[in-house]
Amino acid sequence: MKVVRWDASAWAFSVEKMKKVGLFETERFFLDLYCLEPGQSQKPHAHAGCDKVYLVVEGRGRFRVGDDERELGAGEGVLAGSGEVHGVENRSGDRLVVLTWMSPPPSR
Amino acid sequence: MKVVRWDASAWAFSVEKMKKVGLFETERFFLDLYCLEPGQSQKPHAHAGCDKVYLVVEGRGRFRVGDDERELGAGEGVLAGSGEVHGVENRSGDRLVVLTWMSPPPSR
């Protein structure tokens, strides 16, 4: 049984850009922790045929899905369905950690 | 943008059996919160062609994947791949809450 940790002991940050910490990946999905320092972002983009879920674990982020933008905090989550433009930006002064699920992985 | 909450404000329990709180579902995955009172369980079972991830949010549970069993606590997670027997039992004296992802949903 492969056990992972997704709490603060697993978080990792980079001064250069948003850090992705991979938890699991199969041919059907991946699950990552996205760790963003203040000012870092994942630029809006879209994937045909893939669904993505963002769940905020720590901090606050500005999320875009389609033409909509909202600030979400810990304990909130949002779905970006197939083809919908989506992204996240950490405009706060604190670190942001987001569980990010995608199915299927975009490369498959 | 459909925003959900996955923190304590979304948890729900039933005295009769483990309660599933649906967060998102598409043709590619579902994401539920499994909420287990002490003594409740999800009996071991398997799904061909589907992957499932359990992430423990609150409490402690006894998880089975294949022939392996381990007790996991908040901040830990495990993958049950296609065809692997999996289940969870709350043998503790406290409530157990688990983020549960499945791709694809078993009915599809």
Side-chain angles (χ1 to χ4, degrees):
Chain A
M1 186 186 308
K2 187 197 168 193
V3 174
V4 300
R5 297 206 64 99
W6 59 281
D7 59 6
S9 68
W11 306 347
F13 295 84
S14 164
V15 293
E16 291 165 17
K17 61 177 182 177
M18 179 187 85
K19 177 86 171 174
K20 299 179 183 181
V21 178
L23 298 179
F24 293 114
E25 181 168 1
T26 75
E27 64 191 74
R28 299 180 184 85
F29 76 95
F30 74 68
L31 179 62
D32 285 351
L33 287 163
Y34 285 3
C35 301
L36 295 88
E37 295 278 11
Q40 294 182 338
S41 65
Q42 182 177 44
K43 295 269 181 296
H45 62 290
H47 315 269
C50 299
D51 295 322
K52 184 181 278 184
V53 172
Y54 292 123
L55 297 183
V56 183
V57 177
E58 175 95 354
R60 298 192 66 78
R62 184 84 182 174
F63 290 80
R64 176 172 170 188
V65 176
D67 294 328
D68 201 3
E69 281 197 23
R70 279 185 64 174
E71 186 176 296
L72 304 181
E76 294 184 300
V78 70
L79 166 67
S82 167
E84 285 191 298
V85 173
H86 58 280
V88 55
E89 183 177 358
N90 182 3
R91 297 183 183 175
S92 78
D94 300 307
R95 286 175 161 179
L96 170 66
V97 179
V98 183
L99 276 168
T100 305
W101 165 279
M102 190 157 193
S103 70
S107 58
R108 310 259 177 170
Chain B
M1 186 184 307
K2 186 196 167 192
V3 174
V4 300
R5 297 207 63 99
W6 58 281
D7 60 5
S9 68
W11 305 348
F13 295 85
S14 163
V15 293
E16 291 166 15
K17 61 177 182 179
M18 179 187 87
K19 178 87 171 174
K20 298 179 182 180
V21 178
L23 298 179
F24 292 115
E25 181 167 2
T26 75
E27 64 191 73
R28 299 179 185 85
F29 78 97
F30 74 68
L31 173 60
D32 286 349
L33 286 163
Y34 286 3
C35 301
L36 295 88
E37 294 278 12
Q40 295 182 337
S41 65
Q42 182 177 46
K43 296 269 182 295
H45 62 290
H47 314 269
C50 299
D51 296 321
K52 183 182 278 183
V53 171
Y54 292 122
L55 296 185
V56 183
V57 177
E58 175 95 354
R60 297 192 67 77
R62 183 84 182 173
F63 290 81
R64 177 172 169 187
V65 176
D67 294 327
D68 201 4
E69 281 197 23
R70 279 184 65 174
E71 186 175 296
L72 303 181
E76 294 184 302
V78 69
L79 166 67
S82 168
E84 285 192 297
V85 173
H86 58 280
V88 55
E89 183 177 357
N90 182 2
R91 297 183 184 176
S92 78
D94 299 307
R95 286 175 162 179
L96 170 65
V97 180
V98 183
L99 278 168
T100 305
W101 314 73
M102 192 158 191
S103 175
S107 59
R108 309 259 176 173

